[in-house]
Amino acid sequence: MTLSELTAEMEALSEKSFRAKQCYEWMHGKLARGFSEMTNLSKDFREKCGNNYEYTVAEAADVRESKVDGTKKFLFRFADGNMVESVWMQYKHGNSVCISSQAGCRMGCKFCASTLDGLVRNLSPSEMLEQVYAITRLTGERVSNVVVMGTGEPLDNYDNLLRFIQLLSDENGLHISQRNITVSTCGLVPEMYRLADEGLQITLALSLHAATDEKRKSLMPIASRYSINELMKACDYYAKKTGRRISFEYSLIDGVNDTEEDAELLSALAKRRLCHVNLIPVNPIKERNFIRSDTKKIEAFKNKLEKNKINVTIRREMGRDIDGACGQLRRSHILMQGE
Ligand code: SAH
């Protein structure tokens, strides 16, 4: 609940409205793990809350730390037993957390491990927040950036995502600037328009991965629903409404989308658009036989874009030694449970 919803709720419980502020601060400021920790509230009141409401906490079922760069990968378990992955990364400009928005995913991208078993369920706003809160508690460090790039398609869980962003950036909570929040989508066009109209300052990342419809369709089923042309119109609308530059994610797969022609076609899409291209060497997953492009090809691809005056970076890889592709930690636990 937002603070104003919580205030109305307290009134409905015949409680003083300042209780709402106290509770909200415990939950979203002090990151309490339950009502029992809210020690300046009366025991009666805490019990009443415990009887009336669910309190979302995540248990860390697995934690892996990279020996290379200190990146940590967490597998969190929620009350119903469902597990999701979240990653903590340290950069010079601050700590970044990558969260999941769904348990599983129904988008079916061919190179992605998160979608292999389909969608189990949406995560609630609290479950998305709790990934950031639990990591803050466990690391003891402040999180300055949040990217919704873990398992799931955030725009397929639209209302919960929006509430999550509201609460995460709320001044009475962790107050993470919307400019430091990135939402990545495989390209759900109607939701991209909706998001543009929300008046938010978040960054939108579009998983493009191919510059022609035909190639994109072979990698991402969603491309059969929305053409690149429709996607670009939605991106332009987003950039115009928000003034925010779009980030195009492009995972380089050997022999699939990494030729000079691919680079030219991508340049044509990115040209004269308020955008930035992020090249990602694909993470191979064992269920598929995609191979990442070698360093020389990646450099050549980048050079071609630069020559065409496109804003481009190669994503720095973090936690390579603990990683495997996105979704693999969760999947390995699910498979182990099934044995
Ligand atoms: N569903 C959203 C967000 C989750 S995926 C989306 O599609 O954007 C986050 C990013 O990781 C996306 O760009 C996705 O395409 C990419 N990704 C998934 N599997 C990958 C892999 N094996 N190697 C490299 N990038 C991958």
Side-chain angles (χ1 to χ4, degrees), residues 1-119:
M1 287 181 199
T2 61
L3 183 54
S4 59
E5 287 167 347
L6 196 59
T7 306
E9 192 74 19
M10 286 301 133
E11 281 161 10
L13 281 186
S14 312
E15 287 290 341
K16 302 230 163 44
S17 56
F18 70 84
R19 292 268 176 258
K21 186 103 198 247
Q22 288 178 315
C23 267
Y24 195 92
E25 205 168 287
W26 274 110
M27 290 189 281
H28 304 288
K30 298 181 195 154
L31 312 185
R33 279 168 304 181
F35 296 112
S36 59
E37 288 186 9
M38 304 182 181
T39 43
N40 64 349
L41 303 175
S42 76
K43 217 163 160 228
D44 280 357
F45 176 72
R46 283 184 267 156
E47 255 172 36
K48 196 164 160 185
C49 287
N51 293 333
N52 281 289
Y53 305 103
E54 262 176 52
Y55 200 102
T56 301
V57 272
E59 175 203 346
D62 197 352
V63 184
R64 301 203 180 159
E65 182 168 359
S66 164
K67 292 190 178 63
V68 184
D69 52 37
T71 294
K72 287 185 183 164
K73 193 157 198 176
F74 296 87
L75 187 72
F76 287 122
R77 187 186 290 120
F78 293 117
D80 67 350
N82 264 304
M83 292 189 282
V84 299
E85 280 175 47
S86 325
V87 188
W88 184 76
M89 293 158 285
Q90 293 168 287
Y91 293 97
K92 271 196 222 85
H93 60 263
N95 299 315
S96 202
V97 166
C98 173
I99 67 142
S100 294
S101 55
Q102 296 179 314
C105 181
R106 56 178 181 154
M107 295 298 133
C109 299
K110 293 287 193 297
F111 44 79
C112 181
S114 295
T115 196
L116 288 167
D117 298 306
L119 175 67

Side-chain angles (χ1 to χ4, degrees), residues 105 107 109 111-113 148-154 184-186 205-207 209 220 249 251 280-285 315 325-326:
C105 181
M107 295 298 133
C109 299
F111 44 79
C112 181
V148 189
M149 284 195 186
T151 296
E153 169 47 50
S184 179
T185 180
C186 63
L206 172 68
S207 298
H209 305 315
M220 307 172 72
E249 311 289 299
S251 296
I280 313 164
V282 80
N283 271 310
I285 59 173
R315 179 175 295 172
C326 323

Side-chain angles (χ1 to χ4, degrees), residues 173-214:
L174 284 192
H175 200 187
I176 293 181
S177 158
Q178 285 184 2
R179 290 175 168 267
N180 294 345
I181 302 173
T182 299
V183 170
S184 179
T185 180
C186 63
L188 303 188
V189 167
E191 285 78 12
M192 286 167 72
Y193 280 102
R194 230 179 121 186
L195 193 64
D197 287 333
E198 301 284 359
L200 299 174
Q201 277 297 299
I202 59 168
T203 299
L204 184 64
L206 172 68
S207 298
L208 196 54
H209 305 315
T212 65
D213 285 322
E214 195 189 356

